[in-house]
Amino acid sequence: MKYIRTLTITTDAEIHQNEIPLFRGAVIKSLGESPNLYFHNHLGDDKYRYAYPLIQYKRLGGKAAIVCVEEAVDLIGQFLTEVNGVLTIGNRQVTCNTSRIQPAKILVQTWEDSFMYHISRWLPLNSKNYQLYKNIDGMVEKITFLENILKANMLSMLKGLDIHLEKELVLKITELSDPYLLYNKGVKMMAFNADFKCNLSIPNNVGIGKNASIGCGILSIITN
């Protein structure tokens, strides 16, 4: 088990989902010539930091937002002092002031009971497992296939945060949307929204899976 710090910063800037990568680029540009690695995950010479992203750019409640995780929380002063003001997102200038700051410290571990979560804009299928998914006939079997990928995505996040579980991670998808298409750099990807129950406590609004750093695979806690 391990306590994980997060900090969610919501701005007053309204953006569209497809503008999240542009918002990310605008933030990085506004931070000057040498922003911290966690803001962009580029190592130079076309090399990348492939570890779990500790700074994630999102659209929460229609507004541009940033979620910082663990040591990236300590870097947010650079964002607060340098980014407030006007950002150029794509071809438009947007006033971007911080409207809400939400710090949290969550004990991440497995429990006897389950918690309910929603995942949005989840991209579980790469080129290989897309074909496997496509060849599955039964809906129950398709959901089981996706549950295994979701579990792998969760475990990958935990590994990236250096968290080791004392009990087995157990999850079950309870609601699954029809698949829909997302476009990333002109590439079509099949996305899902889903509700699921899981015996793991995790922070709100963190991302898992492909493109977690730019608004995909967002996990949110479902409260009764």
Side-chain angles (χ1 to χ4, degrees):
M1 65 179 184
K2 182 178 179 180
Y3 280 94
I4 294 297
R5 294 183 299 151
T6 65
L7 189 67
T8 301
I9 298 176
T10 307
T11 74
D12 58 4
E14 295 186 359
I15 62 170
H16 300 290
Q17 290 284 5
N18 60 8
E19 291 182 310
I20 296 174
L22 301 176
F23 169 59
R24 173 181 179 270
V27 170
I28 293 168
K29 184 177 180 180
S30 72
L31 292 174
E33 295 183 359
S34 301
N36 187 279
L37 170 65
Y38 293 142
F39 282 99
H40 52 75
N41 293 310
H42 290 170
L43 297 173
D45 298 325
D46 295 325
K47 296 180 181 179
Y48 298 88
R49 174 185 177 272
Y50 288 107
Y52 182 72
L54 299 183
I55 293 182
Q56 303 171 10
Y57 303 83
K58 304 178 189 288
R59 179 178 181 262
L60 300 177
K63 309 290 187 179
I66 294 179
V67 174
C68 301
V69 183
E70 282 292 81
E71 57 261 41
V73 170
D74 301 323
L75 303 173
I76 207 57
Q78 185 180 9
F79 173 83
L80 294 175
T81 57
E82 298 185 32
V83 172
N84 275 332
V86 177
L87 290 180
T88 301
I89 300 178
N91 295 322
R92 67 187 183 102
Q93 287 192 326
V94 178
T95 301
C96 187
N97 297 305
T98 300
S99 61
R100 191 177 185 188
I101 299 177
Q102 298 169 276
K105 189 175 183 180
I106 303 297
L107 177 61
V108 179
Q109 70 170 44
T110 47
W111 302 78
E112 293 295 332
D113 296 327
S114 293
F115 306 89
M116 289 299 300
Y117 298 100
H118 178 75
I119 186 168
S120 59
R121 295 170 59 83
W122 179 42
L123 301 171
L125 303 176
N126 56 29
S127 58
K128 180 180 179 180
N129 58 24
Y130 170 76
Q131 292 300 326
L132 294 174
Y133 176 83
K134 190 176 179 181
N135 291 333
I136 298 173
D137 291 327
M139 193 62 207
V140 172
E141 290 78 8
K142 283 181 181 286
I143 291 176
T144 299
F145 185 79
L146 292 174
E147 286 174 342
N148 289 332
I149 296 174
L150 181 56
K151 182 176 181 179
N153 286 171
M154 299 277 279
L155 291 173
S156 178
M157 174 188 68
L158 296 176
K159 182 179 179 181
L161 296 173
D162 194 29
I163 296 174
H164 306 280
L165 300 182
E166 298 177 356
K167 299 177 182 178
E168 181 184 2
L169 175 64
V170 179
L171 63 82
K172 181 73 174 177
I173 292 175
T174 58
E175 296 286 342
L176 182 68
S177 73
D178 291 331
Y180 58 95
L181 294 179
L182 293 182
Y183 290 83
N184 180 43
K185 298 179 180 179
V187 178
K188 293 188 295 185
M189 294 178 288
M190 184 180 290
F192 296 85
N193 299 333
D195 292 346
F196 67 98
K197 60 181 180 179
C198 180
N199 64 337
L200 180 71
S201 51
I202 52 176
N204 205 28
N205 292 328
V206 296
I208 63 170
K210 186 174 178 61
N211 287 355
S213 66
I214 50 172
C216 292
I218 301 177
L219 295 169
S220 54
I221 300 167
I222 299 175
T223 57
N224 293 329

